[in-house]
Amino acid sequence: MRVNSKARLYVDTALVENQPIVLDRDQSHYLANVMRLKAGEIVAVFNGRDGEWQTEIAEATKRQVTLLTLDQVRKQQAEPNLWLVFAPIKKARLDFIAQKATELGVSHMVPVMTRRTIVDRVKTERMAANAIEAAEQCERLSVPTVGDVIKLDKLLAQWPPERNIMFCDEDLTGTSAHAALSACGQKLSSGPWAILIGPEGGFDDHERTLIRNHPMCVTVSLGSRILRADTAAMAAISLWQSALGDW
Amino acid sequence: MRVNSKARLYVDTALVENQPIVLDRDQSHYLANVMRLKAGEIVAVFNGRDGEWQTEIAEATKRQVTLLTLDQVRKQQAEPNLWLVFAPIKKARLDFIAQKATELGVSHMVPVMTRRTIVDRVKTERMAANAIEAAEQCERLSVPTVGDVIKLDKLLAQWPPERNIMFCDEDLTGTSAHAALSACGQKLSSGPWAILIGPEGGFDDHERTLIRNHPMCVTVSLGSRILRADTAAMAAISLWQSALGDW
């Protein structure tokens, strides 16, 4: 039977029946001091592999909380294999991309350096923390992974051969993403995909040629208004999910 | 000939050749003190009716800037007639909705009170200011309008007869927005539309029945993950634009 949980946490532990889970300091603090939960209260947990479980708080001090698994309440499901490859932007918007991409169902995020990228360091650990928090809140059963920063030409040179690229080209007008993805739907929907979003200011001509000549590239338009990079990413993920994903 | 403008402003004045435009205090401050522009520099302006014009700064003091129109550089275009009707949420996310909805091309925003809406006051003036700023930045030729707060049942009772409703139903699975809107594309694409987004926690059963029974309602799914209200709004606008709008 499913009881309303007081909190929902991502954990690393394998989830089986009667499994004690000793939470780390931050999660213990959150449950004991922020949420003020006590022994006996119900907390939902997931680890990205074993579905979602109800657990009971076995012991709670101000410093350490131990959970004990009860029942599995949701089985692990297959999720879309969708990368978001994006030119990193400044802090608040980077947090935003990590959160929203998680909610919208991306499986992996890759910050990519382009010629017009102005940010020179990306806090990928912070992105991962944002992804965990968003996954806990949106009831996802998994947390997207975050790749290391990589240069665009290097990434394309070592691109996985079977992964399609949805390239959101700012300079393109006339081919709507809806039409382009619907056309793909018949032949390509089963394969893994990546959405590629450029920096504010766009890819330069050399980069655009490199991308458009890639054999796995499908070029789509997101309209004639100028979208910020974070808006373009959210729009592209939504379109992909609705045309080819699990929406 | 088009010269790169140093700034882009929304103004209320009619735009014709050789028209002086005396800017208000805030815009004057922005150009003279923040951007530090001087007489002779080029500024782009639009008013939502007369396209985009290049102007020259005729006079700039720290308190008042006067522009003089030169040439029209873009003609006014028809834009999608798309309302975003949404249950208002807290401040930062409300700013966010107004900005992103503007970028994504909504024509009118209506905050709607539902039974589960927890916000009791909406700063519609602040929303309008956010919309202007976003329109200036994203090169739109218009600024979306912001309606007064209204209760859901009252809004539906006085609903314009020809306006379709894209209802994003959290409880619905199985009918993808892509499929639902593609099916509409043939018969309904020409009409005006509204996207209806519920509060965090969703519409209650009474409200859902009211909406779903509305003759102009098309119900769509945004997938099985729980989206925050602002994420759902952005996703829905993107899907609508790609299927039925101007993308």
Side-chain angles (χ1 to χ4, degrees):
Chain A
M1 205 193 71
R2 194 162 179 184
V3 182
N4 273 342
S5 311
K6 303 282 184 176
R8 186 170 188 271
L9 294 180
Y10 172 75
V11 296
D12 221 1
T13 327
L15 297 172
V16 292
E17 257 177 76
N18 246 334
Q19 169 74 43
I21 304 168
V22 180
L23 296 180
D24 68 21
R25 205 188 167 107
D26 286 350
Q27 289 185 323
S28 296
H29 171 74
Y30 173 69
L31 292 193
N33 306 323
V34 180
M35 299 293 292
R36 296 172 184 245
L37 302 187
K38 311 254 179 269
E41 290 193 279
I42 300 296
V43 172
V45 301
F46 66 107
N47 64 3
R49 307 180 299 275
D50 302 320
E52 179 162 327
W53 287 70
Q54 280 198 337
T55 71
E56 186 177 64
I57 296 182
E59 206 187 337
T61 69
K62 293 201 170 189
R63 294 190 174 183
Q64 191 172 81
V65 172
T66 305
L67 307 175
L68 190 69
T69 53
L70 303 172
D71 309 302
Q72 191 189 47
V73 287
R74 284 166 69 198
K75 284 195 197 309
Q76 194 69 31
Q77 295 157 350
E79 290 180 344
N81 187 335
L82 178 64
W83 291 6
L84 175 65
V85 180
F86 67 99
I89 44 183
K90 293 197 179 148
K91 203 170 99 178
R93 285 177 186 272
L94 192 64
D95 289 354
F96 173 84
I97 283 199
Q99 291 160 12
K100 294 302 185 200
T102 303
E103 266 183 77
L104 293 168
V106 155
S107 61
H108 184 59
M109 294 181 254
V110 184
V112 68
M113 286 294 166
T114 70
R115 297 189 182 193
R116 291 189 186 141
T117 301
I118 29 176
V119 174
D120 58 354
R121 237 182 101 232
V122 182
K123 293 188 176 165
T124 50
E125 281 173 27
R126 186 183 168 109
M127 283 187 66
N130 270 297
I132 289 175
E133 201 184 314
E136 289 172 343
Q137 286 176 11
C138 79
E139 314 226 341
R140 257 184 88 142
L141 290 173
S142 64
V143 173
T145 45
V146 180
D148 289 332
V149 181
I150 186 168
K151 285 191 175 171
L152 178 67
D153 45 8
K154 194 172 165 193
L155 176 69
L156 289 178
Q158 64 187 48
W159 191 257
E162 79 294 354
R163 187 171 293 273
N164 302 289
I165 301 172
M166 173 178 168
F167 170 42
C168 305
D169 188 353
E170 287 202 345
D171 292 342
L172 187 82
T173 48
T175 313
S176 91
H178 191 80
L181 295 177
S182 294
C184 287
Q186 284 134 34
K187 47 179 181 164
L188 298 176
S189 63
S190 57
W193 277 80
I195 290 169
L196 179 54
I197 300 283
E200 316 257 331
F203 292 104
D204 76 5
D205 286 344
H206 171 81
E207 291 171 332
R208 290 182 63 236
T209 307
L210 204 63
I211 298 164
R212 297 191 69 161
N213 286 341
H214 193 285
M216 298 306 280
C217 177
V218 176
T219 307
V220 305
S221 161
L222 299 177
S224 61
R225 277 170 295 273
I226 301 211
L227 300 181
R228 281 182 177 263
D230 53 342
T231 316
M234 301 312 100
I237 300 168
S238 304
L239 296 178
W240 186 91
Q241 280 285 18
S242 191
L244 302 176
D246 67 358
W247 283 14
Chain B
M1 204 193 70
R2 192 159 180 184
V3 182
N4 273 342
S5 311
K6 303 283 185 177
R8 187 170 187 272
L9 294 180
Y10 172 75
V11 296
D12 221 1
T13 327
L15 297 173
V16 291
E17 257 176 77
N18 247 334
Q19 169 74 42
I21 305 169
V22 180
L23 296 180
D24 68 21
R25 205 188 167 107
D26 286 349
Q27 290 185 323
S28 295
H29 170 73
Y30 173 70
L31 292 193
N33 306 323
V34 180
M35 299 292 292
R36 294 169 185 249
L37 302 187
K38 310 255 178 268
E41 291 192 280
I42 300 296
V43 172
V45 301
F46 65 108
N47 63 2
R49 307 181 299 273
D50 303 320
E52 179 162 327
W53 286 70
Q54 281 197 335
T55 71
E56 185 177 64
I57 297 182
E59 205 187 339
T61 69
K62 293 201 170 189
R63 294 191 176 182
Q64 191 171 81
V65 173
T66 305
L67 306 174
L68 190 69
T69 54
L70 303 172
D71 310 302
Q72 191 188 47
V73 286
R74 284 166 69 198
K75 283 196 198 310
Q76 193 69 32
Q77 296 156 352
E79 290 180 344
N81 186 335
L82 177 64
W83 291 6
L84 174 65
V85 180
F86 67 99
I89 44 183
K90 295 202 177 144
K91 202 169 100 178
R93 286 178 185 272
L94 191 65
D95 288 354
F96 173 84
I97 283 198
Q99 290 160 12
K100 295 303 184 199
T102 303
E103 269 183 74
L104 292 168
V106 156
S107 60
H108 183 59
M109 294 181 253
V110 185
V112 68
M113 286 295 167
T114 70
R115 296 190 181 194
R116 291 190 186 141
T117 301
I118 30 176
V119 175
D120 58 354
R121 238 181 100 231
V122 182
K123 293 188 176 167
T124 49
E125 280 173 28
R126 187 184 167 110
M127 284 187 66
N130 270 298
I132 289 175
E133 200 183 315
E136 288 172 344
Q137 286 176 11
C138 79
E139 313 226 340
R140 257 183 88 143
L141 290 173
S142 64
V143 173
T145 46
V146 180
D148 289 332
V149 181
I150 186 169
K151 286 191 175 171
L152 179 67
D153 45 7
K154 194 173 165 193
L155 177 69
L156 288 178
Q158 64 186 49
W159 192 257
E162 80 293 356
R163 186 170 295 272
N164 303 288
I165 301 172
M166 173 177 168
F167 170 42
C168 304
D169 188 354
E170 288 201 345
D171 292 342
L172 186 83
T173 49
T175 314
S176 92
H178 191 81
L181 295 178
S182 294
C184 286
Q186 283 134 35
K187 46 177 182 163
L188 299 175
S189 63
S190 57
W193 278 80
I195 289 169
L196 178 55
I197 300 283
E200 317 257 331
F203 292 104
D204 76 5
D205 285 345
H206 172 81
E207 290 170 332
R208 291 183 61 236
T209 307
L210 203 65
I211 298 164
R212 297 192 69 161
N213 287 341
H214 193 285
M216 297 306 280
C217 176
V218 176
T219 306
V220 304
S221 161
L222 300 178
S224 61
R225 277 170 295 273
I226 302 212
L227 300 181
R228 280 181 178 264
D230 53 342
T231 315
M234 303 310 101
I237 300 168
S238 303
L239 296 178
W240 186 90
Q241 280 284 20
S242 191
L244 302 176
D246 66 358
W247 283 14

